[in-house]
Amino acid sequence: MATKSLKVNGKRVSITIDDPEMPLLYALRDNLALKGPRFGCGLAQCGACTVHVDGKAVRSCVTPLSSIRAGQKVVTLEGLGTPHKPHPLQKAFIEEQAVQCGYCINGMIMESAAFLASNKKPTEVQIKQALANNLCRCGTHARIIRAVKRAANA
Ligand code: FES
Ligand code: FES
């Protein structure tokens, strides 16, 4: 057993773990009950588990806890906005009704948020490129792209 200190969604937290190499995703979902990030493939292929580490989109299913330093800022979908004050992307996804089953949406929003932070007025092609490695089995891509465009113009 070991203790790991993390900064998640602006709060300092401490968790007890057996394996320091366990994926960050497991710590977020199982230890901290943050269910925004999803387990999809577990192989860095679908994007459902995406979170931000120091503002960069990372796939938490293949990010070992040991690689996260205590000072690094981890942000999950829950830390992006609140029901009363949603992030522009969260608002835009609702307004465009860009969700079917919703399983991929954590990854779509977290990847898009990191992308828009560095590219405030992207073209449609750039948005498609940014989300090219995020999979949606429901085929909601057209609405997802519209939602990202709406958020960029907000
Ligand atoms: S669950 Fe992490 S990329 Fe699919
Ligand atoms: S909305 Fe179902 S996987 Fe994307």
Side-chain angles (χ1 to χ4, degrees):
M1 290 286 210
T3 300
K4 176 82 182 177
S5 178
L6 294 168
K7 192 162 189 199
V8 181
N9 296 337
K11 288 189 194 136
R12 173 74 51 200
V13 294
S14 195
I15 58 173
T16 304
I17 50 168
D18 289 328
D19 179 5
E21 298 309 310
M22 89 173 181
L24 171 62
L25 177 62
Y26 298 179
L28 295 172
R29 287 186 59 88
D30 300 339
N31 296 74
L32 299 173
L34 293 166
K35 307 297 188 187
R38 302 290 171 88
F39 184 96
C41 63
L43 298 167
Q45 290 178 357
C46 74
C49 63
T50 303
V51 301
H52 295 171
V53 177
D54 288 342
K56 190 168 172 286
V58 302
R59 303 209 158 177
S60 63
C61 69
V62 292
T63 302
L65 213 41
S66 62
S67 71
I68 307 292
R69 296 186 304 280
Q72 287 190 293
K73 291 182 194 146
V74 179
V75 175
T76 70
L77 188 66
E78 291 88 344
L80 212 55
T82 66
H84 297 301
K85 201 173 173 215
H87 184 280
L89 275 162
Q90 292 168 322
K91 198 163 171 282
F93 269 66
I94 294 168
E95 286 166 349
E96 290 292 343
Q97 289 290 286
V99 179
Q100 285 194 47
C101 80
Y103 209 87
C104 69
I105 297 300
N106 168 73
M108 296 293 183
I109 290 181
M110 297 306 284
E111 190 71 46
S112 299
F115 168 66
L116 289 184
S118 61
N119 189 345
K120 300 212 182 302
K121 291 288 168 212
T123 63
E124 184 167 323
V125 171
Q126 288 171 324
I127 295 171
K128 285 180 179 170
Q129 280 168 348
L131 294 177
N133 293 319
N134 285 70
L135 307 184
C136 172
R137 65 187 172 184
C138 297
T140 321
H141 302 85
R143 288 186 182 202
I144 289 170
I145 302 300
R146 280 211 301 270
V148 178
K149 271 200 236 167
R150 182 189 276 259
N153 292 328

